[in-house]
């Protein structure tokens, strides 16, 4: 028979157990950081000041690189929008998540229903999850967010309103809540647009050329740009790159507005910011290819001070090799959300964030591209280490298929009209009709 002391002890134990179990999942750890994953659309690393381009103006992204870590060997797994984004948000290669190509319209590729995505995992762990901007993956139930933020499609001058995406997140950032937030912000810039300027070049979402001003309506001129070696240095290329630079600078403005809001809300120091692109520049030789310009991409990570502060270290660049399959497990570890390593094809690179001079534990990446548009079947497989790269063109007997917007690009058409033998550093014929294998040292940039 229990005495009064034992009964009292049991009552106290029951009280504390009830109290602990009543705490919502995720709010028990006050050190969980906010997390922002900002994904640009077709931002090649060659158009980024911190990666060595002295002609483009990306001051806010460059500042983020100074306060965080810039990755010199970051790789997408597929140079296509939907396919790449599905990998980012699942930690699974496309053959494992099912999203081989575009989600929208008649393309209709989708992720398997059973896949548990990053936003779902974070929401279940107590994060307030929100999405704004380009979605381009499906089904929605698989990539479910708590909030879908709305933004006006165009700015006052008629250009894309990427900065409005950051402004749309203001209520989320300023909300009085004990729960951390996860913001997935995906700009449409610097993707190609459906409009052309008065010279016939794509406007890349910039303000319309209604008055026939061509490049005079922009902050960049043809002579300002740096033409990468995978493109021909012809007038059409330079004009399109000037339009492209303007669109990239709008992405930079979006980052600037996002940082301003985080600081104004007192949230900046406790927010992880990850900036990257889904694939390379929307130019032949980059996007939709597994050549280096298509899959070797920008990645900048600013950690929260609740984690180990990179700002206290002298090193802000790392040579560690990471892949987009690593993004989901990395975010989950930063968020202190438990997971099984076997759930993912990638691995967390949080140790690199702590010590940027260390490797990721592997010096190899894999890429797999099968579709872009539904009509663009051309499966390619890639293995790449620090010194060598192998591309297996499985359907090498076919002519390499073009994305519709790249086929009509003035850069490509201008090269054809001039009857150039080479497109950049590659022979025209070799670009269209590819061997079963490309293999070589890194310097060749296959």
């Amino acid at each position: 028979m229990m005495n009064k002391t034992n009964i009292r002890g049991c009552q106290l134990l029951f009280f504390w157990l009830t109290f602990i179990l009543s705490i919502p999942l995720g709010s028990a750890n006050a050190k969980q950081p906010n997390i922002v994953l900002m994904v640009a659309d077709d931002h090649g690393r060659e158009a980024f000041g911190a990666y060595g381009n002295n002609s483009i103006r990306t001051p806010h992204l460059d500042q983020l690189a100074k306060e965080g870590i810039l990755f010199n060997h970051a790789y997408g797994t597929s140079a296509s929008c939907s396919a790449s984004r599905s990998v980012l948000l699942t930690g699974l290669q496309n053959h494992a998540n099912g999203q081989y190509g575009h989600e929208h319209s008649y393309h209709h590729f989708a992720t398997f229903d059973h896949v548990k995505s990053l936003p779902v995992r974070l929401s279940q762990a107590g994060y307030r999850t929100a999405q704004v901007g380009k979605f381009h993956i499906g089904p929605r139930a698989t990539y479910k967010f708590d909030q879908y933020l709305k933004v006006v499609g165009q700015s006052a001058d008629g250009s894309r309103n990427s900065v409005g995406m950051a402004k749309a997140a203001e209520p989320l950032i300023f909300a009085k809540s004990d729960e951390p937030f996860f913001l997935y912000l995906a700009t449409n810039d610097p993707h190609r647009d459906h409009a052309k300027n008065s010279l016939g070049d794509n406007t890349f979402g910039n303000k319309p050329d209604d008055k026939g001003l061509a490049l005079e309506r922009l902050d960049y001129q043809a002579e300002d740009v740096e033409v990468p070696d995978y493109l021909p240095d012809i007038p059409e290329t330079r004009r399109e790159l000037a339009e492209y630079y303007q669109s990239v600078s709008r992405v930079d403005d979006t980052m600037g507005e996002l940082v301003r809001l985080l600081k104004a809300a007192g949230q900046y120091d406790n927010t992880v910011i990850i900036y990257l692109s889904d694939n390379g520049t929307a130019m032949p030789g980059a996007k939709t290819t597994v050549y280096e310009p298509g899959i070797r991409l920008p990645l900048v990570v600013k950690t929260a001070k609740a984690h180990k502060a990179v700002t206290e270290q002298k090193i802000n660049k790392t040579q560690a090799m990471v892949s987009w399959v690593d993004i989901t497990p990395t975010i989950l570890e930063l968020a202190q959300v438990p997971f099984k390593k076997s759930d993912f094809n990638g691995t967390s690179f949080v140790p690199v964030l702590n010590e940027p001079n260390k490797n990721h534990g592997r010096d190899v990446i894999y890429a797999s591209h099968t579709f872009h548009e539904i009509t663009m079947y051309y499966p390619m497989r890639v293995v790449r280490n620090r010194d060598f790269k192998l591309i297996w063109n499985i359907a090498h007997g076919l002519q390499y298929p073009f994305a519709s917007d790249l086929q009509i690009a003035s850069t490509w058409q201008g090269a054809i009209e001039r009857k150039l033998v080479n497109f950049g550093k590659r022979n025209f014929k070799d670009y269209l009709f590819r061997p079963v294998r490309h293999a070589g040292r890194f310097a060749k940039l296959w």
Side-chain angles (χ1 to χ4, degrees), residues 196-199 203 206-215 217 243:
K196 295 182 179 181
N197 64 23
S198 54
L199 296 175
T203 62
N206 299 324
K207 58 186 177 183
D209 187 12
D210 297 333
K211 299 180 181 179
L213 297 175
L215 302 188
R217 74 194 201 290
E243 296 273 6

Side-chain angles (χ1 to χ4, degrees), residues 82 99 112 262 334 370 393:
S82 293
Q99 184 105 34
F112 296 134
L262 288 168
L334 288 168
T370 305
N393 296 309

Side-chain angles (χ1 to χ4, degrees), residues 306-326:
H307 197 60
K308 187 171 181 180
V310 176
T311 53
E312 297 174 1
Q313 304 180 34
K314 294 181 180 179
I315 300 174
N316 70 339
K317 180 181 289 189
T318 180
Q319 303 301 326
M321 295 187 77
V322 300
S323 167
W324 282 185
V325 289
D326 302 326

Side-chain angles (χ1 to χ4, degrees), residues 184-299:
Y184 176 58
L185 191 160
T187 66
N188 295 95
D189 287 318
H191 195 285
R192 285 178 177 269
D193 201 0
H194 298 294
K196 295 182 179 181
N197 64 23
S198 54
L199 296 175
D201 312 304
N202 196 281
T203 62
F204 288 86
N206 299 324
K207 58 186 177 183
D209 187 12
D210 297 333
K211 299 180 181 179
L213 297 175
L215 302 188
E216 293 301 320
R217 74 194 201 290
L218 306 178
D219 297 329
Y220 298 95
Q221 299 304 309
E223 60 271 18
D224 297 334
V225 305
E226 298 179 14
V227 180
D229 62 1
Y230 68 88
L231 294 174
D233 192 348
I234 57 177
E236 291 87 347
T237 302
R238 287 185 166 272
R239 296 197 308 261
E240 284 210 305
L241 284 176
E243 296 273 6
Y244 179 72
Y245 277 26
Q246 187 79 24
S247 191
V248 170
S249 288
R250 200 158 46 246
V251 175
D252 183 76
D253 291 339
T254 306
M255 178 60 75
E257 178 63 12
L258 177 65
V259 169
R260 186 191 70 80
L261 289 170
L262 288 168
K263 289 182 175 179
Q267 297 281 16
Y268 185 71
D269 287 343
N270 191 42
T271 300
V272 175
I273 301 178
I274 300 173
Y275 177 83
L276 52 80
S277 177
D278 56 352
N279 47 250
T281 303
M283 286 283 197
K287 184 177 180 178
T288 76
T289 80
V290 289
Y291 296 143
E292 292 289 288
I295 62 172
R296 189 180 181 189
L297 303 172
L299 171 62

